[in-house]
Amino acid sequence: QVQMEESGGGSVQAGGSLRLSCTTSIFTSNNYCIAWFRQRPGEEREGVAAIDSDGKERYPDSVKGRFTISQDNAKNLLYLEMNNLKPEDTAMYYCASSYGLCSGHCRGGDCAGSYFSYWGRGTQVTVVS
């Protein structure tokens, strides 16, 4: 079982920044895809960033240039740096992972949630205007 646990959510003013963290044990593998998703109330879950063991980053247009995914394998941490936050970024954010590369399962940074076997419980991000 792969551990996934998010932290770092909170409330921030529009235009501000937050960094989410995800503690994960997937980095013991050298073949994985790991991603951040978000879900607004009443809406479908959407992918906002993904990175795999080859280091290739993926972002949808909605967050490109504002969000950055990164990983610290030595600390077993995945990060999502979010800048210039907008009220529409308000959502529950989840980290998820799967063995195998992201290729073929992600359109831009929006990955198929069904590909990911391991999920955290989420952390809430609220952006107030």
Side-chain angles (χ1 to χ4, degrees), residues 62-128:
S62 58
V63 306
K64 196 173 292 183
R66 299 190 299 122
F67 289 14
T68 303
I69 190 171
S70 62
Q71 54 192 357
D72 186 334
N73 295 48
K75 295 182 178 180
N76 293 323
L77 285 170
L78 176 76
Y79 299 107
L80 183 68
E81 184 76 33
M82 305 184 293
N83 298 314
N84 189 22
L85 283 161
K86 305 175 181 181
E88 52 264 40
D89 294 318
T90 295
M92 185 71 78
Y93 284 73
Y94 301 88
C95 58
S97 67
S98 181
Y99 293 110
L101 298 180
C102 300
S103 179
H105 303 281
C106 301
R107 180 177 299 175
D110 192 2
C111 301
S114 59
Y115 177 60
F116 295 86
S117 303
Y118 309 105
W119 291 81
R121 294 184 178 183
T123 186
Q124 177 69 36
V125 171
T126 302
V127 184
V128 297

Side-chain angles (χ1 to χ4, degrees), residues 8-25:
S11 182
V12 63
Q13 292 282 337
S17 300
L18 273 178
R19 187 176 77 164
L20 305 183
S21 300
C22 174
T23 301
T24 176
S25 55

Side-chain angles (χ1 to χ4, degrees), residues 38-56:
R38 68 184 179 189
Q39 188 166 24
R40 305 181 186 92
E43 297 188 16
E44 294 288 320
R45 181 178 56 200
E46 65 172 336
V48 295
I51 190 168
D52 59 23
S53 45
D54 284 355
K56 181 176 173 62

Side-chain angles (χ1 to χ4, degrees), residues 18-35:
L18 273 178
R19 187 176 77 164
L20 305 183
S21 300
C22 174
T23 301
T24 176
S25 55
I26 195 73
F27 296 147
T28 57
S29 170
N30 60 6
N31 186 26
Y32 60 82
C33 175
I34 190 165

